[in-house]
Amino acid sequence: MTETPAAAPDRATRIVVVGAGFAGFETARRLLRHQHRSTDQPIRVTLISPDDFMLYTPLLPDVAGGLLDARFVAIPLAESLPGAELIAGRVDSVDLDRHTLRIRNREDAEETVEWDRLVLTPGSVTRLFDIPGLAEHARGLKTATEALYLRDQMLEQLELASREPDPAVARARRTFVVVGASYAGTELTAQLRALADEVARHRGTDPDDVRFVLLDMADRVMPEVGEKLGDRVLEVLRGRGIDVRLGTTIDRLTAESAELSDGTTVETRTVAWAAGVTASPLIQELGLPTEKGRLTVGADLSVPGHPDVFAAGDAAAVPDLTKDDAITPPTAQHAVRQGKVVARNVLASIGVGTRKNYKHNDLGLVVDLGPRFAVANPVGVHLSGYPAKLVTRAYHLLALPRGANRMAVSAAYLGDAVYPRPLVSFGLVSADEASFPRSQGIPAPGAES
Ligand SMILES: Cc1cc2nc3c(=O)[nH]c(=O)nc-3n(C[C@H](O)[C@H](O)[C@H](O)COP(=O)(O)OP(=O)(O)OC[C@H]3O[C@@H](n4cnc5c(N)ncnc54)[C@H](O)[C@@H]3O)c2cc1C
């Protein structure tokens, strides 16, 4: 199959990018550099996203923990991508033969958009399992809505517990279960623990009255950082009174309890589910080959058999050329770099520059674990404690793609060193708004697609 011509000679090639996360944002940013140049290959960049911001997800645990304001981790698209056509909406379906896609906006109105080149970067959603009650009663941590919900839910439950006459109900309100001891769930637990400690300090109550249970099916926490750092993390979490249960998950969830696979039942009103991700539901809609649920692409990030279609980030199964027979892990580190390569290869497909295969040696991970502790393994160097904290915070500040956000986050970190965490619950996000279907667009259980 050969590429279709860029566009009729008298019009610009329309490049449509679906999703404004790490990969889509970077793709659009790179393409716009070309759009702004006057050239004999003019392009028009369209970015479709349900939100008018790019979300810096690695700092969501800090939002849930009340350390950062949600706006600090939201990069406004209109300001950051001048010259792009921004369309607010969610892509429902793609017609690969007609080169069109269908968008649904917040008011459920539909629109059809045409493209000459399509870049699919719709990312991932929380991976749910067929566990009774999970989709109804647990909440995730992939969106600002969910992070704000978890913060407010914890503060509200602690407030209600303080005036609850029934000790069993009060204990349930003060119990928080997090599932998934990979970096996202572990960071979330650490940040919620720090917020609960602040509540206890403020009220003069015992911080140990607030109970955290962190579960994972794996036999270790944060396998991504290796055995030594993982053991150190486990020691620190347990030292903070967190009940870490490995080889354990939830068997059944109700509004008031979690039945665990170790045979125990935890009475709780709050379960956060951070047990991995799966590609955006849009990928299944395409009817194209997938690998582990992610869209199959070549090393140049083009979709086999569809030379005008490209994909990158969590939604794409990108061959990892640094390893045998592997695909790149779903991380922001890869998504940003794939965004750069995809932009280059899209331009090459219309005759500008040359193609390149995606190849990146993983630089390691930085994981902020609340007050005075972090772990990091930059380029294979294992760090924990204050040095890791420094590296982690410096990394995020540099990686945030906007000066004003960097400044706001820096100020919040400085403030945190001097002042108590603000105990503010706006209560603006309802449990329904934070549910998986409404917050992440995951089809409700039993819903027809
Ligand atoms: C709490 C948390 C902490 C993390 N920490 C780290 C970390 O420290 N380091 C790291 O490397 N990675 C981290 N990650 C992983 C990282 O966030 C992802 O790998 C990264 O976001 C993937 O980028 P992406 O562009 O593929 O997708 P995303 O960033 O998820 O963006 C996808 C975009 O597509 C939009 N979209 C989805 N479906 C549609 C549709 N149908 N139509 C239109 N738009 C659509 C979404 O709204 C979103 O804007 C973390 C993730 C979480 C949740």
Side-chain angles (χ1 to χ4, degrees):
M1 197 173 275
T2 50
E3 281 161 14
T4 46
D10 57 340
R11 74 169 178 92
T13 303
R14 189 174 194 187
I15 305 172
V16 174
V17 181
V18 177
F22 284 86
F25 182 85
E26 192 57 34
T27 306
R29 194 152 76 158
R30 297 273 160 166
L31 289 173
L32 285 167
R33 285 186 196 168
H34 177 80
Q35 181 178 293
H36 293 142
R37 280 184 221 132
S38 106
T39 138
D40 52 4
Q41 286 290 6
I43 61 168
R44 178 174 155 214
V45 179
T46 300
L47 182 60
I48 305 171
S49 163
D51 304 306
D52 61 0
F53 56 85
M54 176 263 186
L55 186 66
Y56 190 84
T57 44
L59 292 179
L60 279 182
D62 294 27
V63 175
L67 185 56
L68 298 181
D69 190 281
R71 272 196 315 156
F72 298 176
V73 300
I75 314 296
L77 298 178
E79 179 201 303
S80 306
L81 301 173
E85 179 195 17
L86 302 174
I87 304 184
R90 197 174 276 281
V91 174
D92 266 355
S93 61
V94 178
D95 188 326
L96 295 164
D97 296 326
R98 292 206 171 102
H99 279 209
T100 58
L101 47 79
R102 216 182 56 199
I103 305 171
R104 195 177 290 275
N105 72 15
R106 285 206 177 154
E107 293 189 339
D108 242 11
E110 286 188 16
E111 190 185 333
T112 298
V113 171
E114 294 179 357
W115 44 271
D116 299 305
R117 295 291 181 273
L118 178 65
V119 181
L120 294 165
T121 54
S124 56
V125 293
T126 300
R127 179 157 46 115
L128 296 176
F129 294 86
D130 197 11
I131 297 172
L134 175 66
E136 294 86 347
H137 302 297
R139 295 294 178 269
L141 183 69
K142 279 286 286 176
T143 62
T145 305
E146 291 166 322
L148 290 173
Y149 170 80
L150 288 172
R151 179 196 67 184
D152 289 2
Q153 163 74 0
M154 197 180 89
L155 292 174
E156 280 162 20
Q157 288 301 314
L158 293 179
E159 164 64 20
L160 289 169
S162 70
R163 289 180 288 101
E164 173 59 55
D166 181 338
V169 175
R171 186 173 152 77
R173 291 195 187 283
R174 287 196 195 99
T175 299
F176 301 93
V177 176
V178 178
V179 190
S182 189
Y183 54 86
T186 308
E187 284 182 314
L188 173 67
T189 310
Q191 291 297 344
L192 290 178
R193 171 84 261 179
L195 186 60
D197 288 351
E198 189 54 52
V199 175
R201 241 189 316 274
H202 176 69
R203 292 180 190 268
T205 54
D206 184 352
D208 290 341
D209 286 349
V210 183
R211 185 178 169 217
F212 284 88
V213 184
L214 175 61
L215 310 174
D216 202 299
M217 272 310 276
D219 58 0
R220 50 189 333 106
V221 296
M222 296 206 307
E224 309 92 340
V225 295
E227 195 171 333
K228 204 169 130 207
L229 284 182
D231 288 348
R232 182 80 188 100
V233 170
L234 186 59
E235 188 184 302
V236 167
L237 293 175
R238 288 193 167 142
R240 290 182 187 169
I242 294 162
D243 178 0
V244 184
R245 299 195 201 177
L246 298 172
T248 309
T249 187
I250 289 181
D251 276 350
R252 185 183 149 82
L253 207 57
T254 70
E256 301 190 343
S257 68
E259 289 171 24
L260 309 190
S261 59
D262 63 6
T264 60
T265 297
V266 178
E267 304 295 327
T268 180
R269 300 288 195 271
T270 314
V271 174
W273 182 262
V277 294
T278 185
S280 159
L282 176 64
I283 298 304
Q284 292 306 322
E285 290 294 318
L286 301 171
L288 290 171
T290 57
E291 196 176 336
K292 294 185 179 161
R294 300 164 77 184
L295 183 60
T296 301
V297 294
D300 67 349
L301 309 179
S302 69
V303 174
H306 296 274
D308 306 330
V309 185
F310 296 76
D314 285 10
V318 179
D320 188 343
L321 298 183
T322 67
K323 297 193 176 88
D324 286 336
D325 209 20
I327 55 175
T328 56
T331 62
Q333 187 184 142
H334 281 287
V336 172
R337 287 167 177 82
Q338 287 167 7
K340 288 180 192 164
V341 173
V342 104
R344 173 182 171 142
N345 292 350
V346 168
L347 290 174
S349 80
I350 58 167
V352 180
T354 53
R355 273 187 198 237
K356 180 184 171 183
N357 282 345
Y358 177 73
K359 185 174 181 185
H360 167 64
N361 282 301
D362 211 283
L363 297 174
L365 207 61
V366 294
V367 186
D368 193 334
L369 292 164
R372 299 173 298 285
F373 192 67
V375 292
N377 57 358
V379 288
V381 182
H382 288 197
L383 301 172
S384 63
Y386 278 114
K389 191 87 175 170
L390 200 69
V391 169
T392 302
R393 290 207 161 162
Y395 174 83
H396 287 312
L397 288 175
L398 285 173
L400 272 164
R402 182 172 173 257
N405 292 70
R406 265 182 236 130
M407 196 184 275
V409 171
S410 310
Y413 285 157
L414 276 176
D416 184 53
V418 183
Y419 302 106
R421 275 182 195 228
L423 302 179
V424 175
S425 154
F426 282 116
L428 292 175
V429 179
S430 68
D432 182 47
E433 283 162 326
S435 65
F436 292 108
R438 288 202 56 192
S439 178
Q440 295 190 37
I442 304 176
E448 303 218 347
S449 57

